[in-house]
Amino acid sequence: PARRYRQQLPGDWQDALARGGADLRAWLAAREAASAAPARSRQDALLELYRAAAFDAAQREADAWLAAEPDAPLALKMRGVLLARRGQFEPAYAAMERAAAAAPRDAEAWRHLATIAQRLGRIEPAEKAFRRALELEPGHAEVQAGLGRVLQQGGRPAEAVAHLRAAIGLSPGSADLANDFAAALVEIDELDEAEASLRAAIALRPDHAIAHANLAALLRRRGRLDAAIEAQAKAVALSPGAAAAQAALA
């Protein structure tokens, strides 16, 4: 599931102007330093802005770098990340595709490209990018998990199970992974293991409303109605909208 970001409520105009001025001063300082420094310093300036959450300034710096060096891999990658953060997924995909082409051994660029492609519903490009990232980072849990989720979206649950199982082996403490693993297991009728995985997700994170809702759906499917009603009540208590998550297991 996509992560949601909530913007801070705006303060008064004075505060807004002060924040904007500070952001602009940070960008100007970085630009001045970068213009007289080698590319390594420009890279450091861009990363520093991003780590300081000065995202508008980082965007301007990345664009300025690309104006001078159109194929700079880090600038392309950062542009893609920042655009995706704003919800501008089409230009983010284009930038990240160029970043991966410019630095074909940059596993992070391939990971980002795969995630953006998945967000756009482009299953085949997402699978290809995740597989490339996996070649470069075979021990990366989120790459295994991402590939598993894409395969499940593409109607290949048995393959999805294999990659999600590998992801759980690499990151056994993730409730979200345990929940997603269960969803894939249900699609291949491995209901005992699916139930065990959902209960593991809930043990890891008792407030995981989606896992409770999915457990309710699974228990209902197995004819254990009293237990299903109890699980559903917990899901609703945690999140009234959690019932929609049952679609994954219905």
Side-chain angles (χ1 to χ4, degrees):
R3 293 182 174 84
R4 295 181 176 87
Y5 296 92
R6 185 185 298 275
Q7 291 183 326
Q8 291 183 341
L9 291 174
D12 59 31
W13 284 108
Q14 184 110 12
D15 288 344
L17 288 170
R19 286 194 301 271
D23 195 47
L24 181 58
R25 285 193 296 274
W27 177 69
L28 289 171
R31 289 284 293 116
E32 184 177 352
S35 65
R40 176 67 184 173
S41 296
R42 188 187 283 269
Q43 172 179 309
D44 291 343
L46 178 55
L47 292 173
E48 183 178 346
L49 288 169
Y50 184 80
R51 289 166 185 154
F55 299 122
D56 288 345
Q59 179 82 62
R60 289 191 292 268
E61 178 59 28
D63 290 345
W65 188 352
L66 289 169
E69 298 178 57
D71 295 319
L74 178 62
L76 286 166
K77 182 167 66 174
M78 190 63 74
R79 176 174 168 77
V81 167
L82 291 164
L83 288 169
R85 187 180 179 279
R86 294 171 183 267
Q88 298 176 15
F89 295 106
E90 285 288 357
Y93 182 84
M96 203 61 71
E97 193 172 37
R98 289 176 58 200
R105 297 198 61 78
D106 185 343
E108 185 180 50
W110 288 103
R111 260 192 288 128
H112 285 311
L113 179 62
T115 302
I116 296 168
Q118 185 180 13
R119 179 66 179 78
L120 289 167
R122 297 174 184 170
I123 301 303
E124 289 186 15
E127 179 187 346
K128 179 180 177 181
F130 272 128
R131 289 194 184 280
R132 177 57 178 154
L134 195 59
E135 291 175 8
L136 297 166
E137 289 184 317
H140 198 291
E142 272 306 310
V143 174
Q144 289 280 9
L147 179 54
R149 293 179 185 119
V150 163
L151 290 167
Q152 187 176 356
Q153 282 181 271
R156 292 148 67 189
E159 293 176 71
V161 163
H163 288 284
L164 287 164
R165 192 188 301 280
I168 286 177
L170 293 165
S171 182
S174 171
D176 288 340
L177 271 178
N179 176 74
D180 293 350
F181 183 46
L185 286 165
V186 166
E187 291 192 30
I188 60 171
D189 291 320
E190 293 289 348
L191 302 187
D192 287 340
E193 191 174 6
E195 181 177 342
S197 190
L198 285 170
R199 293 193 183 282
I202 291 166
L204 286 164
R205 212 175 94 202
D207 65 345
H208 200 307
I210 292 176
H212 283 288
N214 285 342
L215 179 60
L218 177 56
L219 292 170
R220 188 170 63 251
R221 175 172 173 173
R222 306 191 85 181
R224 291 155 59 188
L225 298 184
D226 288 344
I229 290 169
E230 182 181 353
Q232 179 64 14
K234 290 178 180 176
V236 171
L238 289 165
S239 173
Q246 290 181 8
L249 295 175

